[in-house]
Amino acid sequence: GAVVSQHPSWVICKSGTSVKIECRSLDFQATTMFWYRQFPKQSLMLMATSNEGSKATYEQGVEKDKFLINHASLTLSTLTVTSAHPEDSSFYICSASQDRGFIGTDTQYFGPGTRLTVL
Amino acid sequence: AQSVSQHNHHVILSEAASLELGCNYSYGGTVNLFWYVQYPGQHLQLLLKYFSGDPLVKGIKGFEAEFIKSKFSFNLRKPSVQWSDTAEYFCAVYPVGSGNTGKLIFGQGTTLQVKP
C-alpha cells in the first residue's frame, strides 16, 4: 500500500513554456502533499506544502507565482512550473501523507520523481 | 537554522563488510527521525523511523539505527552489506514543535557502493 505516482517521469521543454507535473496517491487519501526539489548530489529541498482544499504554503525563497501548486482532491496535487527557464531544470519529487499538518505518527510516501529539463 | 548533516558522502564497501552511516542534526527539541533509501532509478523508500521508545530501531532489510540524544545523532548500521544495498541513503529529521506543519529536513545523502 501507500503508493504515490508522478506523471510525467521526465519532460523536456523550451524556455518560456509552462510544465505541469501531477502527483497522485493511488491507494490512500493524501490530506497533505509535499513538493521537493532535488539537485544532483544534493539533498531534497522542500518547496511547498499543500493541504487539500487550501492554498499551498511555500518555503522561503520559493516563488509562488512561478511554481503553482494545486491540491484540488485528496488524491491529486499538481505542480506547474510557469515560464520555465534552464535554471528550473531539476528533479521534482512529491510526497503524500494521510496526516494534516503533523507527521509524528505517519510518514511521507514519496513519488518516483519527475526530471525536468528546460532547453 | 535546523539542519541535518551526513558526514559520509560516498562510501565504497565490499560485500559482507559492516556499514555505519553517520547522521547528525541541529535542533534542541523533540525530533522524529527517519532513514530513507533511494535505489538507482527508483523512488525514496522508508528504511526505518524513530518516534519514541527504544533508541535502537530496527528497519527493513537488516538495517538498524541508534538514536543518541546527547550526541544529536541517528546513525544507520548494517552488519553485513550486500551488493543490492547499493543506493543513495538519506537521513531526515522532523522537528516536533509549534509551527512545523510537516516539513522534513533532509541530509545531503550518502552514496553507498557495494562491490561484489
Side-chain angles (χ1 to χ4, degrees):
Chain A
V3 178
V4 176
S5 70
Q6 280 185 243
H7 179 79
S9 54
W10 60 269
V11 57
I12 301 173
C13 69
K14 292 183 178 180
S15 184
T17 60
S18 294
V19 175
K20 179 184 285 189
I21 302 170
E22 292 185 348
C23 176
R24 293 182 186 273
S25 58
L26 300 184
D27 51 2
F28 68 101
Q29 293 188 326
T31 310
T32 306
M33 285 187 168
F34 305 85
W35 286 96
Y36 293 86
R37 185 172 177 177
Q38 185 181 23
F39 293 100
K41 302 298 182 185
Q42 293 189 33
S43 178
L44 281 74
M45 300 299 294
L46 180 65
M47 298 173 65
T49 303
S50 72
N51 290 302
E52 183 267 338
S54 60
K55 288 185 178 181
T57 302
Y58 290 82
E59 293 298 302
Q60 194 172 7
V62 178
E63 299 175 60
K64 58 182 68 176
D65 293 331
K66 180 166 190 60
F67 298 100
L68 301 179
I69 292 172
N70 183 280
H71 191 169
S73 79
L74 284 171
T75 58
L76 173 64
S77 176
T78 60
L79 167 68
T80 301
V81 184
T82 62
S83 187
H85 291 284
E87 58 265 29
D88 299 323
S89 297
S90 191
F91 195 56
Y92 293 89
I93 302 173
C94 75
S95 70
S97 172
Q98 292 175 292
D99 276 354
R100 179 182 290 274
F102 176 57
I103 59 168
T105 56
D106 199 357
T107 55
Q108 295 182 24
Y109 299 97
F110 288 83
T114 296
R115 174 76 59 193
L116 170 64
T117 301
V118 184
L119 302 177
Chain B
Q2 299 149 356
S3 65
V4 178
S5 177
Q6 292 180 240
H7 309 295
N8 317 103
H9 298 295
H10 195 168
V11 174
I12 302 173
L13 295 172
S14 298
E15 275 193 314
S18 64
L19 170 73
E20 179 160 4
L21 301 182
C23 173
N24 287 88
Y25 64 92
S26 63
Y27 182 69
T30 302
V31 292
N32 294 331
L33 300 158
F34 307 82
W35 274 96
Y36 287 90
V37 60
Q38 187 174 30
Y39 297 104
Q42 297 188 29
H43 60 277
L44 279 165
Q45 301 173 41
L46 181 68
L47 264 182
L48 48 80
K49 61 186 178 184
Y50 171 82
F51 289 160
S52 65
D54 188 343
L56 184 61
V57 180
K58 294 192 184 301
I60 61 172
K61 305 188 180 187
F63 286 92
E64 65 178 31
E66 185 175 12
F67 171 48
I68 303 179
K69 189 175 181 179
S70 60
K71 294 185 178 180
F72 300 92
S73 69
F74 190 55
N75 291 356
L76 180 71
R77 299 195 290 251
K78 185 171 184 177
S80 176
V81 295
Q82 300 172 321
W83 177 78
S84 57
D85 292 325
T86 295
E88 188 87 15
Y89 291 82
F90 292 93
C91 178
V93 172
Y94 177 81
V96 178
S98 61
N100 191 343
T101 55
K103 179 178 180 178
L104 273 174
I105 301 170
F106 282 85
Q108 64 269 52
T110 297
T111 302
L112 172 64
Q113 184 181 352
V114 180
K115 294 185 174 179

